[in-house]
Amino acid sequence: MTTETTRRGLFKGAMTAAAFAALPPSIQKAFAQSAAVSTGTIQDVKHIVILMQENRSFEMYFGSKYGVRGFGDPFPHPTVSGQTVWNQKSSSAANATTTLPFPILQTHNWAFPPDLSHGFSDQQGAWGQGQASYWPQYKSASTMGYYTRPELPFQFALAEAFTLCDDYHCAIISCTDPNRVSAVAGTSWDPTQVAAGVNCTDANGEPSNLRCWITGTWVDGTNTGYQYNQIATNTGFTWPSIADVLTEAGISWRIYQDMNNNWTGAMNGFLAFDSFRTAEPGSTIYVNGMTTWTIADLQTAVENNTLAMVNWVLPSAAESEHPGAPCSPTHGGYFAETVLEALTSNPDVWASTIFILHFDENDGYFDHALSPAVPSYYASGELAGASTISLPGMYFNNASRTYSSGSYLSSSDTISGQLRPWGLGARIPTTVVSPWSKGGWINSQVFSHCSIGLFLEQWLGITVPGITPWHRSVCGDMTSCFNFATPNATFPTLPDLSGWAASDAASETLPAVVPPGTQAMPVQEMGLALSRGLPYALNVTASTSVSGLVTLNFINTGKQGAVFHVYDVLNLNLIPRRYTVEAGKTLSDDFWNAFGTNFVTAPAGTYNLWVYGPNGFARHFQGVINQEGMLQRQHPEIHFAYDIDKGGIRIGVRSNAIMPVNFTVADNAYKSGPPQTVSVRPDELASLFWPVKNSGNWYDFSVSTDGFERRFAGRMEDGKDHITDPGMGRSPAPYGNEPALA
């Protein structure tokens, strides 16, 4: 490993040839190919190729990698037990077994850990509408397994050569079809219903694997051979898929697949659409989307410079990287490698091509990150949060299901009612490979499957009608992954996985993967990575009243919408609230009344709220309101503001007391100096400045006095690229009043 020392720690350089075996010389040469720069903009892109693999969570693959928001996240949210989200319970019983994340070691059958339950019902149960406390109950203890660098040499090397997205989420908290449909259409439920404010059912949406699975044998050149899932016969979707939009616009596209070896249709989300089911031989959709095109055909198109502008590659079951049989990370990585080899067979084509390698969903494997979603509903029917964007139409209506003879929900999942958010779901591994994304970058903008459609809109000037206003606000268009103006850099070599078969056979002789008898929290690799600048400028403030009302104010002055997650540490049995705030807007909510019945476990007048947002954004509001003495000693006020020109944070401290108050101001992570005591006189506003330039614009500081605390953490965005969080891996922030944390 090549390293260099920076002012804030260890920066990880590129992998060397000594670390891994080299790819064939032709691939090495192609890796060194410079981007074709003509305009220095997105218009220099001529081709995009998308490979969606199967069923891996981000944490399962990259939770241990340096630089990402993984196992070293200092702000894991609390669970119902009051412990960090790493402490997952087998049930809600007092004596429930706790399972921590554990490594999938090569002393066991690491290549084939079990395929876990991952339907709509158990995914919803494990998520718990944001509580995320009982993954093993719905998935088994195997859900907590994860890989490290030795098991994933190709995946790690590819990520460290190009750009890894560590906040890319699957579209739906469910299984394959809903996510693959979302990836090829921008949504998996009828956008006309969304526009009308009507929540969809399985009749006009895809909550589970309903429409893409087929039987029969396809014969190229005919329009027969597939028989579609009986419960969805004649219920193909009628709104335009991305392929329909491209066809209408006269933009070239193609799907590379074996029509009789695409896991009985499951890999092809387009099969949910009538336009594909009824395509006539000779039509654009039939030729490009309902015909067998192989990886050899892909390579021929690249070599002949006839590659379409937009291309999808669909794996077979054996190549799909799906947990358990039939595919290992080594075999799946080898398949991705063959696609990359085909794309780089013509350096001139590769110089203007983007290759996106991602996954459909997380299988049943754990990921600790919060899922940005519209607010859930309490079981009582009250909305747990708010949004500046209209919410009707953004939920699946389980009560009005048509094709299921029973509920899509687990009988034990009673925390909410029949309306469930469509998504977003868990994080999944996503690597953006192109001449414009070289260099081992981490991109922490919120993305989802609709983000590829949003990128196509920016690049091609089309409109994907399935992408909802909420998704357009919250999900980025992936342009932040690329440097179109000055893209060219050097490449490391990548490992050769052509020996996957022998590796898989050896793995299968080993014992099954099981959690270890002695558990310990995983340790994330130390080190920094380059980090793209993001469009966020977020803040949350709190105010209190003499009646004990606690009001949170959500402020978004950035260029991208965001979801804020609020956890009430004193009432963790309740669904955490979520707030969607569009770019340039604000939202306030009277969160709790500190003297009301909502604080069933809290002493009168106390509150303890944690707020989380994207890229490590965190705020903590804790205090005690003395109702009788409110007029004599009102609650302190803390004002927070970014000062980009000066490279720091400005803090205003007001005591609102009848006597001087001493506040302690402390740096919790970046060692800018020892804690300071600031004495504030009555009616005085003390102004402080907190520099952040020396920590890559990252900050984590607190202001506290006498049972009162405000904590502020995140990164100040200034439109520039920076580094990943230098404080990643520090001890998790205490919630207050919690049991011992593991």
Side-chain angles (χ1 to χ4, degrees), residues 76-85 87 92 127-134 370 378 415 565-577 591-592 598-602 608-612 620 733-739 741:
H77 72 79
T79 60
V80 174
S81 69
Q83 296 176 296
T84 64
V85 68
N87 296 260
S92 59
W127 179 46
Q129 306 305 299
Q131 286 186 337
S133 301
Y134 305 113
L370 295 162
Y378 295 116
I415 190 173
H565 310 254
V566 183
Y567 285 75
D568 174 10
V569 175
L570 304 180
N571 291 278
L572 291 171
N573 59 307
L574 298 177
I575 292 175
R577 294 192 174 198
F591 193 76
W592 295 119
N598 283 321
F599 275 72
V600 293
T601 63
N608 187 345
L609 305 173
W610 275 91
V611 183
Y612 305 93
H620 184 210
Y735 308 123
N737 301 324
E738 73 270 28
L741 301 180

Side-chain angles (χ1 to χ4, degrees), residues 657-668:
I658 61 175
M659 61 186 68
V661 176
N662 293 328
F663 291 89
T664 299
V665 183
D667 182 343
N668 301 305

Side-chain angles (χ1 to χ4, degrees), residues 679-703:
S679 182
V680 183
R681 296 189 300 270
D683 299 323
E684 177 188 16
L685 178 65
S687 297
L688 307 175
F689 180 78
W690 199 274
V692 298
K693 291 189 296 184
N694 291 334
S695 57
N697 280 20
W698 291 91
Y699 60 90
D700 178 4
F701 67 92
S702 56
V703 181

Side-chain angles (χ1 to χ4, degrees), residues 185-541:
T187 182
S188 66
W189 70 100
D190 191 341
T192 64
Q193 295 290 96
V194 176
V198 178
N199 294 316
C200 288
T201 71
D202 54 2
N204 44 26
E206 188 82 351
S208 191
N209 290 342
L210 299 179
R211 289 172 172 81
C212 298
W213 295 78
I214 52 88
T215 56
T217 301
W218 186 260
V219 179
D220 284 345
T222 72
N223 59 359
T224 59
Y226 278 175
Q227 292 83 50
Y228 294 93
N229 192 332
Q230 185 62 41
I231 62 172
T233 298
N234 300 320
T235 62
F237 295 137
T238 57
W239 71 83
S241 70
I242 291 176
D244 293 304
V245 173
L246 295 173
T247 300
E248 182 68 21
I251 297 169
S252 61
W253 62 274
R254 178 157 291 174
I255 303 172
Y256 290 89
Q257 64 176 324
D258 185 334
M259 292 290 290
N260 287 307
N261 193 12
N262 56 9
W263 209 330
T264 61
M267 300 297 94
N268 191 343
F270 289 109
L271 296 181
F273 292 84
D274 277 347
S275 58
F276 276 72
R277 294 181 177 192
T278 62
E280 292 293 332
S283 67
T284 297
I285 287 181
Y286 187 96
V287 170
N288 293 303
M290 298 295 283
T291 301
T292 293
W293 296 99
T294 67
I295 301 302
D297 294 324
L298 172 66
Q299 181 157 337
T300 297
V302 172
E303 291 172 345
N304 295 338
N305 198 11
T306 58
L307 183 66
M309 296 186 73
V310 182
N311 306 267
W312 289 271
V313 177
L314 308 184
S316 66
E319 298 162 330
S320 68
E321 220 153 329
H322 196 289
C327 193
S328 68
T330 307
H331 190 182
Y334 176 71
F335 179 68
E337 194 174 66
T338 62
V339 173
L340 186 59
E341 185 170 358
L343 296 179
T344 55
S345 61
N346 183 338
D348 290 339
V349 172
W350 176 244
S352 58
T353 298
I354 292 170
F355 174 41
I356 296 180
L357 173 61
H358 64 156
F359 290 73
D360 59 344
E361 32 92 357
N362 61 304
D363 196 85
Y365 283 91
F366 172 81
D367 191 278
H368 90 282
L370 295 162
S371 296
V374 296
S376 296
Y377 283 91
Y378 295 116
S380 63
E382 179 187 0
L383 192 65
S387 171
T388 61
I389 304 175
S390 178
L391 295 177
M394 294 297 297
Y395 297 86
F396 170 64
N397 186 351
N398 181 67
S400 298
R401 59 193 177 275
T402 298
Y403 295 112
S404 174
S405 59
S407 174
Y408 286 100
L409 301 175
S410 170
S411 60
S412 61
D413 180 11
T414 58
I415 190 173
S416 185
Q418 297 294 316
L419 292 182
R420 298 299 178 101
W422 279 104
L424 307 176
R427 291 187 302 174
I428 52 174
T430 300
T431 307
V432 180
V433 184
S434 79
W436 301 280
S437 56
K438 299 182 290 189
W441 292 85
I442 303 296
N443 189 305
S444 298
Q445 189 173 1
V446 172
F447 299 129
S448 186
H449 292 332
C450 69
S451 295
I452 295 176
L454 292 171
F455 179 86
L456 296 179
E457 290 186 345
Q458 293 295 316
W459 173 38
L460 301 172
I462 61 175
T463 298
V464 180
I467 304 175
T468 73
W470 185 90
H471 287 81
R472 290 181 182 278
S473 173
V474 170
C475 300
D477 61 15
M478 302 192 77
T479 54
S480 62
C481 294
F482 306 97
N483 177 359
F484 293 115
T486 56
N488 294 314
T490 59
F491 280 81
T493 55
L494 297 178
D496 181 0
L497 298 183
S498 58
W500 63 267
S503 173
D504 285 1
S507 179
E508 288 185 291
T509 66
L510 300 172
V513 173
V514 294
T518 301
Q519 300 190 65
M521 264 300 295
V523 177
Q524 187 171 342
E525 296 174 339
M526 296 299 294
L528 305 176
L530 296 170
S531 175
R532 289 296 186 193
L534 303 180
Y536 299 117
L538 309 174
N539 195 18
V540 180
T541 64

Side-chain angles (χ1 to χ4, degrees), residues 39-282:
T39 66
T41 70
I42 194 174
Q43 295 309 313
D44 290 335
V45 178
K46 304 303 178 187
H47 316 280
I48 186 170
V49 180
I50 304 155
L51 170 59
M52 178 178 278
Q53 294 286 73
E54 281 281 294
N55 294 42
R56 305 284 179 168
S57 76
F58 180 86
E59 212 122 83
M60 184 190 193
Y61 267 28
F62 293 116
S64 65
K65 182 189 178 303
Y66 67 85
V68 304
R69 195 150 297 275
F71 296 127
D73 188 348
F75 295 104
H77 72 79
T79 60
V80 174
S81 69
Q83 296 176 296
T84 64
V85 68
W86 313 116
N87 296 260
Q88 287 294 312
K89 304 290 186 180
S90 59
S91 73
S92 59
N95 61 347
T97 300
T98 298
T99 305
L100 298 174
F102 65 89
I104 299 174
L105 301 174
Q106 295 185 32
T107 54
H108 290 72
N109 186 7
W110 64 274
F112 297 105
D115 172 26
L116 306 178
S117 298
H118 53 279
F120 188 86
S121 62
D122 56 89
Q123 295 277 47
Q124 285 282 313
W127 179 46
Q129 306 305 299
Q131 286 186 337
S133 301
Y134 305 113
W135 282 70
Q137 176 181 341
Y138 292 93
K139 308 290 188 178
S140 85
S142 293
T143 184
M144 305 303 289
Y146 68 91
Y147 288 117
T148 59
R149 184 178 295 271
E151 292 78 42
L152 303 176
F154 176 80
Q155 289 84 351
F156 270 66
L158 194 68
E160 289 164 359
F162 296 96
T163 295
L164 179 65
C165 300
D166 73 346
D167 211 4
Y168 188 117
H169 298 255
C170 63
I172 308 294
I173 303 173
S174 187
C175 45
T176 291
D177 283 4
N179 282 287
R180 287 189 174 265
V181 171
S182 294
V184 301
T187 182
S188 66
W189 70 100
D190 191 341
T192 64
Q193 295 290 96
V194 176
V198 178
N199 294 316
C200 288
T201 71
D202 54 2
N204 44 26
E206 188 82 351
S208 191
N209 290 342
L210 299 179
R211 289 172 172 81
C212 298
W213 295 78
I214 52 88
T215 56
T217 301
W218 186 260
V219 179
D220 284 345
T222 72
N223 59 359
T224 59
Y226 278 175
Q227 292 83 50
Y228 294 93
N229 192 332
Q230 185 62 41
I231 62 172
T233 298
N234 300 320
T235 62
F237 295 137
T238 57
W239 71 83
S241 70
I242 291 176
D244 293 304
V245 173
L246 295 173
T247 300
E248 182 68 21
I251 297 169
S252 61
W253 62 274
R254 178 157 291 174
I255 303 172
Y256 290 89
Q257 64 176 324
D258 185 334
M259 292 290 290
N260 287 307
N261 193 12
N262 56 9
W263 209 330
T264 61
M267 300 297 94
N268 191 343
F270 289 109
L271 296 181
F273 292 84
D274 277 347
S275 58
F276 276 72
R277 294 181 177 192
T278 62
E280 292 293 332

